[in-house]
Amino acid sequence: MNWHQTVFEVIDMRSFSNMWFWIALAVVWSLASHWVLGVPYDMILRARHGGQAEADLGDIVRINVNRLLHIVREAGAVLLGSGCFLASGLAVLGFVYRVEFAQALFLLGFPFFFVGWLSLSTARRIASGRLEGEALRRRLLRHRLYTQLIGAAAIFVTALWGMYQNLSIGVLGH
C-alpha cells in the first residue's frame, strides 16, 4: 500500500459518513457562538457585575471592532473576492461534479459569509454608537443569538444533505 492510499483511508473522503466531519461541524459552530467579535462569552457574562470586568469588556470590544473595521477597509474587497471564488469553486465541484468532500467543505464554510456580514454589521453599529455597559452587552448577546440561529440552520441543512447523500449512496449505489 502506498502513502496516498493510506492517507485517503485515514481521512475518508466520503465526508458525510465520517464521524470526524460531524465532530468538526459541531466544534466549528460551538466556537463561532462562543467567540462574539473575538470576545469570549464568559467575559460578557462577567461584565454584568460591573467594575473592572465591564471596563475590560469595553476595551477588548473596542480593540476587536477597530481591528475588524481596519481589515475590511484595507483588504475587504480582496477577502470578499477570494471567499466568493473559493465558495463558488467548492459549489461547482460539489454540486455539479458531485465531489462529496467539496460539498462538505461548502456546507461547512458558506454560512460563515452570513456570520461575517453579521459581525461587520455589529462592529459598525458598535463603533458608530459608542455603545457601553448594558447596551454593549445586549448588542453582543444579540449577535451571539443570531450566530447560533445561523449555526442551527447550517447544521440542519448539512444534516439533511448528509442523510440524503448517505441514503442515496447506500440504497441506490451511486
Side-chain angles (χ1 to χ4, degrees):
M1 184 182 297
N2 49 20
W3 69 272
H4 65 276
Q5 285 176 325
T6 304
V7 168
F8 282 117
E9 278 190 25
V10 171
I11 294 175
D12 185 15
M13 299 305 270
R14 291 203 48 243
S15 301
F16 298 113
S17 62
N18 190 335
M19 173 186 65
W20 293 109
F21 172 74
W22 298 105
I23 291 171
L25 183 71
V27 168
V28 162
W29 283 109
S30 175
L31 288 173
S33 68
H34 178 72
W35 292 90
V36 181
L37 289 179
V39 179
Y41 177 64
D42 62 291
M43 189 173 197
I44 299 168
L45 294 180
R46 276 196 318 255
R48 289 181 176 170
H49 303 296
Q52 186 61 44
E54 190 169 36
D56 290 346
L57 177 68
D59 290 341
I60 197 165
V61 168
R62 179 183 48 78
I63 290 167
N64 287 335
V65 162
N66 290 339
R67 180 176 174 268
L68 178 61
L69 294 176
H70 174 74
I71 289 170
V72 168
R73 273 191 306 273
E74 295 298 320
V78 172
L79 291 173
L80 181 63
S82 300
C84 289
F85 175 77
L86 182 63
S88 62
L90 287 173
V92 169
L93 280 173
F95 300 105
V96 175
Y97 293 107
R98 299 185 185 273
V99 177
E100 188 174 321
F101 189 67
Q103 292 172 0
L105 289 177
F106 178 82
L107 291 171
L108 186 66
F110 183 71
F112 282 97
F113 278 100
F114 300 108
V115 174
W117 172 80
L118 179 65
S119 296
L120 181 59
S121 173
T122 302
R124 285 184 175 153
R125 286 185 183 194
I126 290 171
S128 68
R130 305 278 187 240
L131 298 178
E132 294 179 355
E134 179 63 28
L136 177 62
R137 287 192 304 276
R138 272 197 322 269
R139 175 62 62 187
L140 293 173
L141 291 174
R142 188 175 304 129
H143 176 85
R144 181 175 190 258
L145 174 67
Y146 292 157
T147 301
Q148 288 175 326
L149 291 174
I150 292 168
I155 290 170
F156 180 74
V157 168
T158 303
L160 284 179
W161 185 257
M163 285 187 286
Y164 170 75
Q165 287 296 105
N166 287 335
L167 290 173
S168 67
I169 289 171
V171 174
L172 302 175
H174 288 212

